[in-house]
Amino acid sequence: MKKQIRIFIQLSLIISLAVFITACSSTETKTVRVAEVTRSIFYAPLYVAIEQGFFEEEDLEIKLTTTWGGDKTMTTLLADGADVALVGSETSIYVHAQGSKDSVINFAQLTQTDGTFLVAREEIADFSWDMLKDSEFLGQRKGGMPQMVGEYVLKQHGIDPFSDLNLIQNVDFANIPNAFLGGTGDFVQLFEPQASIFEQEGKGHIVASFGMESGKVPYTTFMSKTSYLDKESETVQKFTNAILKAQTWVQDKSAAEVAEVILPYFEDTSVELIETVVDRYKNQDSFATDPILDEDEWNNLKAIMGEAGELPSDVDHATLVNTDFAQKALENE
């Protein structure tokens, strides 16, 4: 009887110890709601971070929503419909200019060039930018980063977008490809994979890259309200850690490997086409190699906004950019 009691006590201790160890080692998984401005191969590192389990390694679960447009994305963030927004840094300047008491802060950069391409309706063997003069150019939404970069590049090539061509910028972001297919515009400014799809189908021809022409700029960054950064600083740090892991992975892997991983996010696109697009973005250094948004990039952003007449105020880098999370992620890599 005593032996049975002793065995029972030993088993109880073992079970209690196992439960204790499990409780100590388990960490609560935090859900982060992310609103992306569009679904694009341009954001490959984000999808890699999800699919390769880099967020999971940081005890984070990502709830990703596509909000289709900078204004809608920022509205979602400000209305607490998302914790983090992936959108152009210009939106944080617009919110700041409106006197927001809870400023939106850029904390991790994802892309460092423009991601759009100039697509011509007809095939052009020897393209030159002056071919756009007197043409009909279907651009992007006024005040958005794609449109401002488009105007900036045109001016760099001696073209006044408002007098040297017919600039169309009143078409909703999601409807621009269909408008071009419907006959609007001799040229159109498009994101991938739409630009390559048109080229593959013979409905358009890529003739130039706005990213190659405009230089480095914080084109899309992760941002949150100041209140969220203060309250959830540990979560934001883990989020940034995961993004850095994905950025490093994308840099180290081939375009084919990246394409295979992000294929679930583009079900109607072939893996071969995705590979082509990823390769194009990798070759022009569109994917940021780390999450730090530096001051030179910020100043280039302001120059582009100023040239477009869309800079409401001269906001210092330190006012709307927090590099602490990115720098710590690099230190702990």
Side-chain angles (χ1 to χ4, degrees):
M1 183 68 179
K2 289 182 178 179
K3 184 178 180 180
Q4 291 175 327
I5 293 174
R6 187 167 61 252
I7 293 173
F8 176 78
I9 293 174
Q10 289 174 340
L11 287 173
S12 298
L13 288 172
I14 291 171
I15 294 170
S16 298
L17 181 60
V19 171
F20 176 75
I21 291 173
T22 301
C24 289
S25 61
S26 64
T27 304
E28 180 185 358
T29 298
K30 191 81 173 182
T31 299
V32 181
R33 301 168 301 160
V34 179
E36 60 173 358
V37 64
T38 187
R39 174 59 51 86
S40 176
I41 298 170
F42 196 39
Y43 306 149
L46 169 61
Y47 312 134
V48 164
I50 297 172
E51 293 300 307
Q52 291 297 100
F54 296 138
F55 285 118
E56 188 177 352
E57 289 175 5
E58 298 288 340
D59 300 308
L60 299 180
E61 179 183 354
I62 302 301
K63 183 178 180 182
L64 182 63
T65 303
T66 308
T67 38
W68 301 109
D71 51 347
K72 296 181 180 68
T73 304
M74 190 53 65
T75 298
T76 300
L77 181 67
L78 294 176
D80 293 324
D83 305 309
V84 175
L86 176 62
V87 65
S89 290
E90 80 282 356
T91 56
S92 65
I93 295 178
Y94 294 148
V95 171
H96 178 78
Q98 293 170 1
S100 173
K101 295 180 180 179
D102 195 357
S103 295
V104 174
I105 305 297
N106 301 266
F107 68 86
Q109 182 170 326
L110 190 72
T111 62
Q112 60 186 12
T113 73
D114 182 280
T116 60
F117 294 86
L118 180 65
V119 176
R121 188 171 296 282
E122 304 296 332
E123 189 170 3
I124 301 174
D126 297 306
F127 172 76
S128 63
W129 284 90
D130 58 11
M131 292 179 179
L132 272 72
K133 290 184 176 181
D134 299 320
S135 71
E136 189 173 76
F137 177 43
L138 179 55
Q140 297 279 330
R141 178 182 59 84
K142 187 178 186 300
M145 200 61 199
Q147 179 60 36
M148 290 190 290
V149 169
E151 293 179 19
Y152 178 81
V153 170
L154 290 175
K155 290 177 182 178
Q156 295 300 304
H157 288 278
I159 301 171
D160 187 323
F162 300 103
S163 62
D164 291 338
L165 47 73
N166 178 21
L167 176 63
I168 302 171
Q169 54 183 168
N170 61 352
V171 179
D172 186 69
F173 176 81
N175 293 325
I176 291 173
N178 287 333
F180 186 70
L181 285 180
T184 301
D186 303 306
F187 297 89
V188 62
Q189 183 179 0
L190 290 176
F191 275 99
E192 292 282 22
Q194 195 62 63
S196 288
I197 290 174
F198 277 9
E199 189 166 64
Q200 188 179 64
E201 296 176 348
K203 298 173 181 176
H205 304 273
I206 297 174
V207 295
S209 162
F210 286 99
M212 293 287 286
E213 298 288 335
S214 59
K216 289 188 176 181
V217 64
Y219 203 78
T220 35
T221 62
F222 293 103
M223 57 186 75
S224 293
K225 293 192 291 186
T226 300
S227 57
Y228 184 81
L229 294 181
D230 291 343
K231 182 181 178 182
E232 298 290 346
S233 60
E234 183 179 354
T235 299
V236 175
Q237 185 61 64
K238 290 181 175 181
F239 185 96
T240 309
N241 295 344
I243 292 300
L244 175 58
K245 291 177 185 178
Q247 290 172 324
T248 301
W249 192 94
V250 169
Q251 291 298 316
D252 291 344
K253 302 299 181 180
S254 68
E257 290 172 293
V258 176
E260 286 287 351
V261 170
I262 69 173
L263 181 61
Y265 295 84
F266 305 94
E267 294 180 350
D268 297 328
T269 308
S270 70
V271 69
E272 291 81 11
L273 181 59
I274 296 174
E275 179 183 346
T276 296
V277 175
V278 170
D279 188 57
R280 183 173 286 135
Y281 280 138
K282 283 171 70 73
N283 287 335
Q284 67 180 38
D285 295 326
S286 288
F287 303 128
T289 56
D290 62 60
I292 293 179
L293 194 172
D294 65 41
E295 194 164 356
D296 286 343
E297 292 172 310
W298 184 257
N299 289 337
N300 193 27
L301 166 68
K302 292 193 296 181
I304 290 172
M305 294 179 69
E307 188 69 35
E310 298 289 350
L311 184 64
S313 61
D314 187 1
V315 185
D316 290 337
H317 175 266
T319 302
L320 293 181
V321 179
N322 183 335
T323 61
D324 292 346
F325 299 104
Q327 288 172 342
K328 187 173 181 180
L330 282 167
E331 291 170 3
N332 297 332
E333 189 180 16

